[in-house]
Amino acid sequence: ENAPLVIVNCFEDEGETIYRQVQSQTDKDFSFAAIHGIDCYTELTPWKCSALHKKEPDFGDGAKAYLSELTEKILPEIQRRITAPSFSILAGYSLCGLFAVYAAFTSNAFKRIVCASGSLWYPGFLEFCKAYEPSEKIDRISFSLGDKEALSQNPVYATVKTNTLEIQSIFQESGVTATFTEFPGNHFFEADKRLAKGITSVL
């Protein structure tokens, strides 16, 4: 009762693992909803972009539509099943982290955001953030990266730390408490633990 609601968009079935990680790191009460079955390459990205690897699909422009589905259908259904939350947190890793930041600029549904190893290298996204203001409802956001992520030989991926720090500054200039944590490892190292630490930090 009166606990924050944490919403995590998931790539596969990692929701239970993340939930247990957060439980182990805090004594605070919270509700937790993990959303599965998302087409991450089309539903989490705000505009179309060619794939950066031959074996991967191109990125789509479904973020706006999925955000509407999340806020107008999924979130109300979650809230019907639990006691009214004190506030809502949107958290995600990689492309899910990119989507969480996108939502911070385009929706008033969330108070806090967690962007763990977010794909903030996404072409045009930094410019998008510079052109708009974060939602006035956002009061705290957590960013994190692995210390090897910006060492990529791909020049697009290599912008991730610079872009993340610039976007952090945009939130800070808007009066939002915006933190940045650097963890050891590459993009795939201990992803669930990193995301859980970000969630714990904003509870």
Side-chain angles (χ1 to χ4, degrees):
E1 186 174 356
N2 296 321
L5 167 63
V6 179
I7 299 175
V8 178
N9 289 306
C10 296
F11 288 99
E12 295 177 349
D13 59 353
E14 67 270 26
E16 180 74 19
T17 301
I18 297 166
Y19 172 64
R20 297 300 177 194
Q21 288 279 352
V22 177
Q23 274 194 320
S24 71
Q25 295 175 22
T26 183
D27 293 328
K28 294 180 179 179
D29 292 326
F30 62 95
S31 299
F32 188 94
I35 302 174
H36 305 265
I38 305 162
D39 185 339
C40 295
Y41 287 93
T42 60
E43 291 188 282
L44 299 178
T45 46
W47 45 80
K48 293 181 179 180
C49 177
S50 298
L52 301 184
H53 296 287
K54 292 181 180 178
K55 294 182 180 180
E56 294 180 351
D58 290 340
F59 299 102
D61 57 357
K64 182 177 180 180
Y66 174 59
L67 181 59
S68 295
E69 181 181 7
L70 175 62
T71 57
E72 296 172 15
K73 296 181 180 180
I74 299 174
L75 185 56
E77 177 60 27
I78 293 169
Q79 292 176 339
R80 275 196 291 270
R81 302 184 187 190
I82 63 174
T83 303
S86 52
F87 58 88
S88 295
I89 298 167
L90 182 62
Y93 196 92
S94 194
L95 287 171
C96 299
L98 172 76
F99 176 79
V101 177
Y102 171 78
F105 282 91
T106 56
S107 172
N108 293 317
F110 309 100
K111 186 175 183 180
R112 296 180 183 170
I113 301 292
V114 179
C115 175
S117 286
S119 302
L120 303 184
W121 49 260
Y122 198 80
F125 194 71
L126 175 59
E127 290 71 22
F128 166 82
C129 295
K130 289 179 176 179
Y132 295 93
E133 291 285 334
S135 165
E136 293 182 356
K137 189 172 181 180
I138 302 294
D139 69 357
R140 190 175 301 176
I141 183 167
S142 167
F143 295 96
S144 66
L145 283 176
D147 60 7
K148 295 182 180 178
E149 293 193 59
L151 303 179
S152 173
Q153 294 182 351
N154 185 304
V156 178
Y157 289 147
T159 65
V160 67
K161 183 174 181 179
T162 299
N163 287 8
T164 298
L165 293 175
E166 286 202 47
I167 294 170
Q168 177 196 15
S169 295
I170 291 169
F171 280 93
Q172 290 174 330
E173 290 168 4
S174 295
V176 177
T177 300
T179 60
F180 173 77
T181 304
E182 197 164 52
F183 293 104
N186 61 22
H187 183 67
F188 301 100
F189 185 66
E190 295 187 337
D192 295 344
K193 288 184 179 180
R194 291 184 195 172
L195 182 55
K197 286 181 178 179
I199 293 169
T200 302
S201 74
V202 301
L203 281 174

